[in-house]
Structure formats: structure tokens, C-alpha cells
Amino acid sequence: MDMTVKSAGADCRAVSEILSRIGDKWTIQVVVALRPGPHRFNEIKRRVGGISQQMLTRTLKTLERDGMIERSVRHTTPPQVAYALTPLGHSLSDTAKHLADWAAAHRGAIADNRIRYDNRKP
Amino acid sequence: MDMTVKSAGADCRAVSEILSRIGDKWTIQVVVALRPGPHRFNEIKRRVGGISQQMLTRTLKTLERDGMIERSVRHTTPPQVAYALTPLGHSLSDTAKHLADWAAAHRGAIADNRIRYDNRKP
DNA sequence: CTGCATCCGCCGCGATACTG
DNA sequence: CAGTATCGCGGCGGATGCAG
């Protein structure tokens, strides 16, 4: 089927809606970090380099709210909290994988284009 | 091959790098708007609802710099400028299509999760 | 260890007015 | 019609301190 015209508007809105959710600085990185399996708070913090505690807390909470990850608490002292991807979260990480593959494949070309453009218009 | 562990870090960086480029408010919407074929400035502005001239100008310029779109000028009065996706731009729009499909497929589930979460923690 | 509250700088984005 | 220049705001995200 040809989606080039008819659904362009709908696609447009859907993509922009999703990008506004997952397009922030950390969401995708946290999801990717959780792909191998469940992790605890500071493990995630280590796997995702450069994120602050607060941003990790916010990101995890938003992901939990959207049903992307599941939070499980062990009431020990000190308490242990583990986070795991839900099926929905895994499907997102698969989609992210497509993005990653595209990025890896074309990153070099983009960099080259940029250099040529800047050299042409100084 | 199994990418779940080994390339998690590399994927992470690649995705975040790309998201910082295309994850803004308008880039993807402009690319999607150009899928059917070349369009002129104000045509794009109409197809992408709610974008200001300045943001459209900026977005187009960045996309051109990255080699995603091509700008062709007809020196008439008034001048006519058309924008078209390059092969690289089309490949991006295909990737965006995956995102759009994922969004359409799971948007309802996410909305439901969110409502349930908010009802549990008032 | 895990998580929340507060303060604050930066910049993405919109509105507006002005050129060719 | 197709841009450019300037201003201002809102919110993301970083640093720090406090709590359970």
C-alpha cells in the first residue's frame, strides 16, 4: 500500500507526539541500558554515563508511568530497588535499535555533508 | 548475532547523538511532509501545522547542511524555492516511519498505563 | 542506597518586525 | 514569496542538600 500521501498528516502527528516523549536527553539511553535485563538504580546510573541522580529518577518514573519499565522493591536495609523492561519497553528498545542502526550507518555521511556545507558558505 | 550486551554502550551513544539532531520539535515533521515529493517553502509551512517561519527556516537549513534535503532556487519574481528529500533524507523518513508505526500501535496502551498509574498514586 | 526538593543557567522555540 | 534579526519566555536538565 502507498502511505506517501494519505497518512502523511497522521504519521506526522504520531511521530511528533512520540518524539516529545522519548526524544529527551535520557529516556532512550535508559531503555537501552535495561535491554540486557533488570538493573538497580546505581547500576543504571553507571551504565548511562553522565546522567544525574535526579534526571535518572525522573526518567525512571516517567517510564514506569508509561508502562515501559517495572519497579520492584526489596524492603531490606538498605532497600534494594530493581528496574526491568516490560514487553512494551522491549518493543520500544527494538524500535530504538532501528534508530541506532540508521545512526551508525549514516553518521559518517552526515558529518561529511556538514563539513562540505560549512566550507562552501563561510 | 546477539547485540543485547556487547554493543549496548555504542548503541546508547549513537542513539542519543541522533536523537539530539532529529529529536527536536520539527525536524521529523518536515521530513515526513516532504516524503511525497518536492515542495515550496509555504507549502511545507501549510503541511506542517503550527510551525513558525523562523523555525521552518532553521529546520530546513539544518536539514540541508546534513544533506537530508536539497534546495533549488528559480530566480523569478517573486523567486521560487523548492525543497526535496535526498536519498539520505528518504532513508531517514523510512526510519521515522518505523517510529510512527510503533507510536500508532502503542499510543493507546501508553495512555491507559498512564491513567492507571495516576489513579493508583493520587 | 534510593529518592525528593530547591535553586538556577541555558537554549529551544514562538512572536514580531523588517529586507529583497 | 522567502527569508533575516531581535526579544522574551518556559522548561529541561545540572548541582546541591536533605530524608527514609
Side-chain angles (χ1 to χ4, degrees):
Chain A
M1 54 181 139
D2 180 14
M3 311 284 280
T4 50
V5 176
K6 194 189 77 176
S7 64
D11 282 3
C12 195
R13 275 178 256 118
V15 176
S16 83
E17 196 178 312
I18 282 302
L19 277 180
S20 67
R21 313 275 182 193
I22 69 171
D24 65 15
K25 195 171 181 180
W26 300 113
T27 296
I28 291 293
Q29 300 195 52
V30 169
V31 169
V32 171
L34 283 175
R35 284 195 98 191
H39 289 283
R40 296 183 49 196
F41 188 88
N42 278 335
E43 284 177 343
I44 303 172
K45 189 171 186 312
R46 256 173 267 124
R47 291 177 62 90
V48 179
I51 190 172
S52 66
Q53 303 166 344
Q54 184 180 37
M55 279 298 110
L56 182 53
T57 300
R58 285 191 200 176
T59 304
L60 288 170
K61 190 175 294 181
T62 303
L63 284 171
E64 189 196 359
R65 188 168 103 106
D66 289 355
M68 305 287 198
I69 62 177
E70 193 180 10
R71 205 180 93 117
S72 51
V73 187
R74 286 190 70 89
H75 290 282
T76 58
T77 50
Q80 296 187 356
V81 184
Y83 297 88
L85 252 43
T86 62
L88 182 61
H90 269 106
S91 76
L92 173 60
S93 83
D94 290 340
T95 303
K97 187 77 175 52
H98 285 300
L99 254 183
D101 292 343
W102 185 89
H106 300 289
R107 151 162 43 184
I110 293 175
D112 292 348
N113 290 333
R114 206 167 289 178
I115 291 173
R116 274 193 284 109
Y117 183 92
D118 292 343
N119 285 346
R120 277 207 317 276
K121 311 198 172 185
Chain B
M1 53 180 140
D2 180 13
M3 311 284 281
T4 50
V5 176
K6 195 190 77 177
S7 65
D11 282 3
C12 195
R13 276 178 255 118
V15 176
S16 83
E17 196 179 312
I18 281 303
L19 277 180
S20 67
R21 314 274 182 192
I22 69 171
D24 64 16
K25 194 170 180 180
W26 301 112
T27 296
I28 291 293
Q29 299 196 50
V30 169
V31 168
V32 171
L34 283 175
R35 284 195 100 191
H39 288 285
R40 298 180 50 191
F41 187 90
N42 279 333
E43 283 177 345
I44 303 172
K45 189 170 186 315
R46 257 171 265 125
R47 289 177 63 90
V48 180
I51 190 172
S52 65
Q53 330 92 345
Q54 185 180 46
M55 286 321 295
L56 182 53
T57 300
R58 285 191 200 176
T59 304
L60 288 170
K61 192 174 293 181
T62 303
L63 284 170
E64 189 196 359
R65 189 168 102 105
D66 289 356
M68 305 287 198
I69 62 178
E70 193 180 9
R71 203 182 94 116
S72 51
V73 187
R74 287 189 70 89
H75 289 282
T76 58
T77 50
Q80 297 187 358
V81 184
Y83 296 88
L85 251 43
T86 62
L88 182 60
H90 269 106
S91 77
L92 172 60
S93 83
D94 290 341
T95 303
K97 187 75 175 52
H98 285 301
L99 254 183
D101 292 343
W102 185 89
H106 300 289
R107 150 162 41 185
I110 293 176
D112 292 347
N113 290 333
R114 205 167 289 177
I115 290 173
R116 273 193 284 110
Y117 184 92
D118 292 343
N119 286 344
R120 277 207 318 275
K121 311 199 173 187

PDB file of all heavy atoms in Angstrom, chain B residues 73-97:
ATOM      1  N   VAL B  73      16.661  26.831  -6.350  1.00  0.00           N
ATOM      2  CA  VAL B  73      16.092  28.174  -6.472  1.00  0.00           C
ATOM      3  C   VAL B  73      15.814  28.507  -7.935  1.00  0.00           C
ATOM      4  O   VAL B  73      16.668  28.282  -8.802  1.00  0.00           O
ATOM      5  CB  VAL B  73      17.058  29.228  -5.889  1.00  0.00           C
ATOM      6  CG1 VAL B  73      16.394  30.602  -5.860  1.00  0.00           C
ATOM      7  CG2 VAL B  73      17.539  28.813  -4.519  1.00  0.00           C
ATOM      8  N   ARG B  74      14.631  29.045  -8.201  1.00  0.00           N
ATOM      9  CA  ARG B  74      14.327  29.619  -9.521  1.00  0.00           C
ATOM     10  C   ARG B  74      14.312  31.135  -9.371  1.00  0.00           C
ATOM     11  O   ARG B  74      13.483  31.684  -8.649  1.00  0.00           O
ATOM     12  CB  ARG B  74      12.970  29.137 -10.020  1.00  0.00           C
ATOM     13  CG  ARG B  74      12.963  27.680 -10.480  1.00  0.00           C
ATOM     14  CD  ARG B  74      11.627  27.376 -11.166  1.00  0.00           C
ATOM     15  NE  ARG B  74      11.529  28.058 -12.443  1.00  0.00           N
ATOM     16  CZ  ARG B  74      11.953  27.526 -13.596  1.00  0.00           C
ATOM     17  NH1 ARG B  74      12.462  26.323 -13.598  1.00  0.00           N
ATOM     18  NH2 ARG B  74      11.832  28.192 -14.724  1.00  0.00           N
ATOM     19  N   HIS B  75      15.209  31.815 -10.087  1.00  0.00           N
ATOM     20  CA  HIS B  75      15.338  33.259  -9.905  1.00  0.00           C
ATOM     21  C   HIS B  75      14.289  34.007 -10.736  1.00  0.00           C
ATOM     22  O   HIS B  75      14.606  34.701 -11.692  1.00  0.00           O
ATOM     23  CB  HIS B  75      16.741  33.715 -10.304  1.00  0.00           C
ATOM     24  CG  HIS B  75      17.776  33.268  -9.324  1.00  0.00           C
ATOM     25  ND1 HIS B  75      17.982  33.888  -8.114  1.00  0.00           N
ATOM     26  CD2 HIS B  75      18.648  32.242  -9.371  1.00  0.00           C
ATOM     27  CE1 HIS B  75      18.947  33.269  -7.467  1.00  0.00           C
ATOM     28  NE2 HIS B  75      19.377  32.264  -8.201  1.00  0.00           N
ATOM     29  N   THR B  76      13.056  33.849 -10.358  1.00  0.00           N
ATOM     30  CA  THR B  76      11.969  34.599 -10.976  1.00  0.00           C
ATOM     31  C   THR B  76      11.555  35.714 -10.027  1.00  0.00           C
ATOM     32  O   THR B  76      12.184  35.921  -8.998  1.00  0.00           O
ATOM     33  CB  THR B  76      10.780  33.670 -11.240  1.00  0.00           C
ATOM     34  OG1 THR B  76      10.371  33.099  -9.995  1.00  0.00           O
ATOM     35  CG2 THR B  76      11.171  32.564 -12.193  1.00  0.00           C
ATOM     36  N   THR B  77      10.525  36.446 -10.422  1.00  0.00           N
ATOM     37  CA  THR B  77       9.986  37.442  -9.495  1.00  0.00           C
ATOM     38  C   THR B  77       8.493  37.210  -9.311  1.00  0.00           C
ATOM     39  O   THR B  77       7.743  37.413 -10.240  1.00  0.00           O
ATOM     40  CB  THR B  77      10.209  38.868 -10.032  1.00  0.00           C
ATOM     41  OG1 THR B  77       9.747  38.933 -11.374  1.00  0.00           O
ATOM     42  CG2 THR B  77      11.640  39.266  -9.946  1.00  0.00           C
ATOM     43  N   PRO B  78       8.097  36.785  -8.125  1.00  0.00           N
ATOM     44  CA  PRO B  78       8.944  36.516  -6.965  1.00  0.00           C
ATOM     45  C   PRO B  78       9.704  35.203  -7.103  1.00  0.00           C
ATOM     46  O   PRO B  78       9.272  34.341  -7.850  1.00  0.00           O
ATOM     47  CB  PRO B  78       7.944  36.443  -5.812  1.00  0.00           C
ATOM     48  CG  PRO B  78       6.668  36.020  -6.442  1.00  0.00           C
ATOM     49  CD  PRO B  78       6.674  36.569  -7.824  1.00  0.00           C
ATOM     50  N   PRO B  79      10.831  35.075  -6.411  1.00  0.00           N
ATOM     51  CA  PRO B  79      11.638  33.864  -6.510  1.00  0.00           C
ATOM     52  C   PRO B  79      10.895  32.639  -5.994  1.00  0.00           C
ATOM     53  O   PRO B  79      10.062  32.748  -5.104  1.00  0.00           O
ATOM     54  CB  PRO B  79      12.848  34.179  -5.634  1.00  0.00           C
ATOM     55  CG  PRO B  79      12.398  35.244  -4.723  1.00  0.00           C
ATOM     56  CD  PRO B  79      11.397  36.041  -5.481  1.00  0.00           C
ATOM     57  N   GLN B  80      11.205  31.491  -6.590  1.00  0.00           N
ATOM     58  CA  GLN B  80      10.590  30.243  -6.142  1.00  0.00           C
ATOM     59  C   GLN B  80      11.680  29.310  -5.642  1.00  0.00           C
ATOM     60  O   GLN B  80      12.649  29.046  -6.332  1.00  0.00           O
ATOM     61  CB  GLN B  80       9.836  29.587  -7.289  1.00  0.00           C
ATOM     62  CG  GLN B  80       8.669  30.429  -7.801  1.00  0.00           C
ATOM     63  CD  GLN B  80       7.845  29.662  -8.815  1.00  0.00           C
ATOM     64  OE1 GLN B  80       8.175  28.535  -9.155  1.00  0.00           O
ATOM     65  NE2 GLN B  80       6.766  30.290  -9.280  1.00  0.00           N
ATOM     66  N   VAL B  81      11.484  28.794  -4.441  1.00  0.00           N
ATOM     67  CA  VAL B  81      12.453  27.883  -3.843  1.00  0.00           C
ATOM     68  C   VAL B  81      11.764  26.570  -3.521  1.00  0.00           C
ATOM     69  O   VAL B  81      10.718  26.568  -2.872  1.00  0.00           O
ATOM     70  CB  VAL B  81      13.064  28.472  -2.561  1.00  0.00           C
ATOM     71  CG1 VAL B  81      14.136  27.551  -2.022  1.00  0.00           C
ATOM     72  CG2 VAL B  81      13.637  29.853  -2.840  1.00  0.00           C
ATOM     73  N   ALA B  82      12.336  25.485  -4.002  1.00  0.00           N
ATOM     74  CA  ALA B  82      11.752  24.166  -3.739  1.00  0.00           C
ATOM     75  C   ALA B  82      12.724  23.325  -2.916  1.00  0.00           C
ATOM     76  O   ALA B  82      13.948  23.449  -3.060  1.00  0.00           O
ATOM     77  CB  ALA B  82      11.428  23.464  -5.058  1.00  0.00           C
ATOM     78  N   TYR B  83      12.150  22.495  -2.065  1.00  0.00           N
ATOM     79  CA  TYR B  83      12.949  21.601  -1.233  1.00  0.00           C
ATOM     80  C   TYR B  83      12.566  20.159  -1.534  1.00  0.00           C
ATOM     81  O   TYR B  83      11.377  19.849  -1.671  1.00  0.00           O
ATOM     82  CB  TYR B  83      12.718  21.896   0.241  1.00  0.00           C
ATOM     83  CG  TYR B  83      13.176  23.265   0.664  1.00  0.00           C
ATOM     84  CD1 TYR B  83      12.323  24.362   0.574  1.00  0.00           C
ATOM     85  CD2 TYR B  83      14.453  23.467   1.153  1.00  0.00           C
ATOM     86  CE1 TYR B  83      12.742  25.623   0.965  1.00  0.00           C
ATOM     87  CE2 TYR B  83      14.876  24.727   1.540  1.00  0.00           C
ATOM     88  CZ  TYR B  83      14.017  25.791   1.451  1.00  0.00           C
ATOM     89  OH  TYR B  83      14.435  27.031   1.829  1.00  0.00           O
ATOM     90  N   ALA B  84      13.582  19.308  -1.640  1.00  0.00           N
ATOM     91  CA  ALA B  84      13.317  17.891  -1.922  1.00  0.00           C
ATOM     92  C   ALA B  84      14.211  17.019  -1.054  1.00  0.00           C
ATOM     93  O   ALA B  84      15.348  17.389  -0.730  1.00  0.00           O
ATOM     94  CB  ALA B  84      13.574  17.592  -3.394  1.00  0.00           C
ATOM     95  N   LEU B  85      13.690  15.869  -0.687  1.00  0.00           N
ATOM     96  CA  LEU B  85      14.467  14.909   0.090  1.00  0.00           C
ATOM     97  C   LEU B  85      15.577  14.305  -0.771  1.00  0.00           C
ATOM     98  O   LEU B  85      15.354  13.937  -1.921  1.00  0.00           O
ATOM     99  CB  LEU B  85      13.539  13.792   0.584  1.00  0.00           C
ATOM    100  CG  LEU B  85      13.187  13.718   2.066  1.00  0.00           C
ATOM    101  CD1 LEU B  85      12.876  15.100   2.606  1.00  0.00           C
ATOM    102  CD2 LEU B  85      12.002  12.794   2.273  1.00  0.00           C
ATOM    103  N   THR B  86      16.764  14.191  -0.216  1.00  0.00           N
ATOM    104  CA  THR B  86      17.838  13.441  -0.854  1.00  0.00           C
ATOM    105  C   THR B  86      17.660  11.967  -0.508  1.00  0.00           C
ATOM    106  O   THR B  86      16.808  11.625   0.320  1.00  0.00           O
ATOM    107  CB  THR B  86      19.199  13.909  -0.335  1.00  0.00           C
ATOM    108  OG1 THR B  86      19.262  13.655   1.063  1.00  0.00           O
ATOM    109  CG2 THR B  86      19.402  15.394  -0.590  1.00  0.00           C
ATOM    110  N   PRO B  87      18.421  11.078  -1.111  1.00  0.00           N
ATOM    111  CA  PRO B  87      18.362   9.666  -0.705  1.00  0.00           C
ATOM    112  C   PRO B  87      18.578   9.499   0.802  1.00  0.00           C
ATOM    113  O   PRO B  87      17.873   8.724   1.451  1.00  0.00           O
ATOM    114  CB  PRO B  87      19.509   9.035  -1.503  1.00  0.00           C
ATOM    115  CG  PRO B  87      19.587   9.859  -2.741  1.00  0.00           C
ATOM    116  CD  PRO B  87      19.266  11.267  -2.315  1.00  0.00           C
ATOM    117  N   LEU B  88      19.536  10.250   1.333  1.00  0.00           N
ATOM    118  CA  LEU B  88      19.765  10.180   2.776  1.00  0.00           C
ATOM    119  C   LEU B  88      18.518  10.610   3.548  1.00  0.00           C
ATOM    120  O   LEU B  88      18.133   9.973   4.537  1.00  0.00           O
ATOM    121  CB  LEU B  88      20.944  11.089   3.147  1.00  0.00           C
ATOM    122  CG  LEU B  88      21.353  11.108   4.616  1.00  0.00           C
ATOM    123  CD1 LEU B  88      21.768   9.720   5.077  1.00  0.00           C
ATOM    124  CD2 LEU B  88      22.480  12.096   4.852  1.00  0.00           C
ATOM    125  N   GLY B  89      17.879  11.671   3.076  1.00  0.00           N
ATOM    126  CA  GLY B  89      16.656  12.133   3.724  1.00  0.00           C
ATOM    127  C   GLY B  89      15.546  11.107   3.641  1.00  0.00           C
ATOM    128  O   GLY B  89      14.794  10.913   4.611  1.00  0.00           O
ATOM    129  N   HIS B  90      15.453  10.436   2.500  1.00  0.00           N
ATOM    130  CA  HIS B  90      14.439   9.393   2.371  1.00  0.00           C
ATOM    131  C   HIS B  90      14.699   8.244   3.336  1.00  0.00           C
ATOM    132  O   HIS B  90      13.771   7.694   3.922  1.00  0.00           O
ATOM    133  CB  HIS B  90      14.401   8.878   0.932  1.00  0.00           C
ATOM    134  CG  HIS B  90      13.441   9.607   0.060  1.00  0.00           C
ATOM    135  ND1 HIS B  90      13.830  10.510  -0.907  1.00  0.00           N
ATOM    136  CD2 HIS B  90      12.078   9.617   0.026  1.00  0.00           C
ATOM    137  CE1 HIS B  90      12.763  11.016  -1.513  1.00  0.00           C
ATOM    138  NE2 HIS B  90      11.686  10.503  -0.954  1.00  0.00           N
ATOM    139  N   SER B  91      15.957   7.894   3.502  1.00  0.00           N
ATOM    140  CA  SER B  91      16.259   6.801   4.427  1.00  0.00           C
ATOM    141  C   SER B  91      15.880   7.194   5.852  1.00  0.00           C
ATOM    142  O   SER B  91      15.407   6.370   6.628  1.00  0.00           O
ATOM    143  CB  SER B  91      17.736   6.423   4.338  1.00  0.00           C
ATOM    144  OG  SER B  91      18.552   7.357   5.016  1.00  0.00           O
ATOM    145  N   LEU B  92      16.069   8.478   6.172  1.00  0.00           N
ATOM    146  CA  LEU B  92      15.644   8.941   7.491  1.00  0.00           C
ATOM    147  C   LEU B  92      14.132   8.859   7.623  1.00  0.00           C
ATOM    148  O   LEU B  92      13.602   8.434   8.658  1.00  0.00           O
ATOM    149  CB  LEU B  92      16.103  10.384   7.727  1.00  0.00           C
ATOM    150  CG  LEU B  92      15.545  11.038   8.983  1.00  0.00           C
ATOM    151  CD1 LEU B  92      15.951  10.253  10.222  1.00  0.00           C
ATOM    152  CD2 LEU B  92      16.008  12.480   9.111  1.00  0.00           C
ATOM    153  N   SER B  93      13.441   9.243   6.562  1.00  0.00           N
ATOM    154  CA  SER B  93      11.985   9.218   6.633  1.00  0.00           C
ATOM    155  C   SER B  93      11.467   7.786   6.775  1.00  0.00           C
ATOM    156  O   SER B  93      10.435   7.551   7.403  1.00  0.00           O
ATOM    157  CB  SER B  93      11.381   9.881   5.394  1.00  0.00           C
ATOM    158  OG  SER B  93      11.321   8.981   4.317  1.00  0.00           O
ATOM    159  N   ASP B  94      12.199   6.828   6.208  1.00  0.00           N
ATOM    160  CA  ASP B  94      11.806   5.434   6.390  1.00  0.00           C
ATOM    161  C   ASP B  94      11.947   5.029   7.854  1.00  0.00           C
ATOM    162  O   ASP B  94      11.075   4.356   8.414  1.00  0.00           O
ATOM    163  CB  ASP B  94      12.686   4.522   5.514  1.00  0.00           C
ATOM    164  CG  ASP B  94      12.375   4.678   4.038  1.00  0.00           C
ATOM    165  OD1 ASP B  94      11.282   5.186   3.718  1.00  0.00           O
ATOM    166  OD2 ASP B  94      13.218   4.305   3.204  1.00  0.00           O
ATOM    167  N   THR B  95      13.070   5.442   8.451  1.00  0.00           N
ATOM    168  CA  THR B  95      13.268   5.148   9.865  1.00  0.00           C
ATOM    169  C   THR B  95      12.184   5.815  10.703  1.00  0.00           C
ATOM    170  O   THR B  95      11.664   5.233  11.660  1.00  0.00           O
ATOM    171  CB  THR B  95      14.652   5.636  10.318  1.00  0.00           C
ATOM    172  OG1 THR B  95      15.647   5.025   9.508  1.00  0.00           O
ATOM    173  CG2 THR B  95      14.896   5.272  11.777  1.00  0.00           C
ATOM    174  N   ALA B  96      11.847   7.035  10.319  1.00  0.00           N
ATOM    175  CA  ALA B  96      10.783   7.741  11.035  1.00  0.00           C
ATOM    176  C   ALA B  96       9.467   6.986  10.912  1.00  0.00           C
ATOM    177  O   ALA B  96       8.654   6.983  11.844  1.00  0.00           O
ATOM    178  CB  ALA B  96      10.625   9.157  10.474  1.00  0.00           C
ATOM    179  N   LYS B  97       9.292   6.344   9.770  1.00  0.00           N
ATOM    180  CA  LYS B  97       8.073   5.560   9.570  1.00  0.00           C
ATOM    181  C   LYS B  97       7.967   4.449  10.606  1.00  0.00           C
ATOM    182  O   LYS B  97       6.882   4.182  11.144  1.00  0.00           O
ATOM    183  CB  LYS B  97       8.088   4.973   8.165  1.00  0.00           C
ATOM    184  CG  LYS B  97       6.822   4.272   7.742  1.00  0.00           C
ATOM    185  CD  LYS B  97       5.715   5.267   7.416  1.00  0.00           C
ATOM    186  CE  LYS B  97       4.482   4.567   6.871  1.00  0.00           C
ATOM    187  NZ  LYS B  97       4.002   3.459   7.708  1.00  0.00           N
TER     188      LYS B  97
END
